[in-house]
Amino acid sequence: TTEIYTLSLHDALPISEGMRLGSAYRNQLGSLAQLAPKQHGIVAMGQLLDLGFSRWAVHRLVEKGHLHCLYRGVYVVGLPNLNARGLSMAAVLACGPDAALSHGSAAALWGLRRTPSGDIHVTAPKSRIRDGIRCHVSNLPPEDRTVIDAIPVTSVHRTVLDDANTSAPSASDHAWRNSSAGTSSTCAPSRLSS
């Protein structure tokens, strides 16, 4: 909901009682309040700096509880109520500007499978070590990148290939291989035909 990302203009920055909030800060906070919902409540330090915030102002927003650090340089705006898309956006931003959600995490975003438990998979040109993120190193060509709901993600073709190379075989794959090899299987053809 939009209320999660609303900032209190009077409490957001370190100003004295009775001091008027400058129009520049008001504009920065307004821009932040507009950006956050578009990115599932997530912003990166670079984006905050681009909006005109200083690092000191970002630090104050964290101290006041308006920003919550998820990863180094990546924040949730407002209350830290994140769904899978917010967590995915945060992981991508934590891995840098050319990163994209990938592998099983991208497959879930594409609707090809359930959201996997464990680490969020991201592909980026440089390795990044972050708790909860599995960073795969690759320079993705433009045809292997797209955006879904504001989240940079690998193309469906690349996603299927990456996911197939890293996922454990499912029980049905195992059963199919066993039946193809002439060994007994829990998925016998006679059971499938009825």
Side-chain angles (χ1 to χ4, degrees):
T1 65
T2 307
E3 294 171 317
I4 291 175
Y5 314 114
T6 301
L7 296 174
S8 166
L9 296 178
H10 297 290
D11 292 334
L13 296 172
I15 57 176
S16 304
E17 276 299 314
M19 188 182 230
R20 297 178 73 179
L21 186 62
S23 63
Y25 282 134
R26 187 181 308 279
N27 290 339
Q28 290 167 351
L29 291 172
S31 296
L32 177 56
Q34 289 177 358
L35 175 63
K38 294 175 185 174
Q39 296 187 160
H40 308 282
I42 305 297
V43 294
M45 176 63 85
Q47 293 173 315
L48 292 165
L49 296 174
D50 289 346
L51 291 175
F53 288 98
S54 66
R55 289 184 186 276
W56 180 80
V58 171
H59 176 75
R60 292 296 293 161
L61 287 168
V62 171
E63 281 184 345
K64 292 285 189 176
H66 295 296
L67 295 178
H68 302 273
C69 188
L70 294 177
Y71 301 108
R72 183 174 176 223
V74 178
Y75 306 90
V76 62
V77 179
L79 301 174
N81 277 346
L82 290 179
N83 60 20
R85 289 184 183 222
L87 293 170
S88 295
M89 176 64 85
V92 170
L93 290 175
C95 290
D98 294 322
L101 196 67
S102 63
H103 297 74
S105 302
L109 187 61
W110 279 105
L112 301 174
R113 63 140 110 173
R114 285 191 219 138
T115 302
S117 59
D119 292 347
I120 297 171
H121 289 254
V122 176
T123 296
K126 293 182 353 183
S127 179
R128 305 285 176 123
I129 298 172
R130 304 279 192 267
D131 286 341
I133 301 173
R134 171 105 188 264
C135 186
H136 304 271
V137 179
S138 179
N139 286 314
L140 292 171
E143 63 271 13
D144 284 349
R145 298 175 53 88
T146 191
V147 176
I148 297 176
D149 200 16
I151 302 170
V153 63
T154 52
S155 67
V156 71
H157 178 77
R158 174 73 185 244
T159 296
V160 169
L161 291 174
D162 288 345
D163 192 35
N165 287 329
T166 58
S167 295
S170 68
S172 61
D173 291 338
H174 180 68
W176 176 256
R177 286 189 191 107
N178 284 344
S179 67
S180 299
T183 61
S184 64
S185 169
T186 58
C187 187
S190 62
R191 292 187 189 168
L192 293 175
S193 60
S194 53

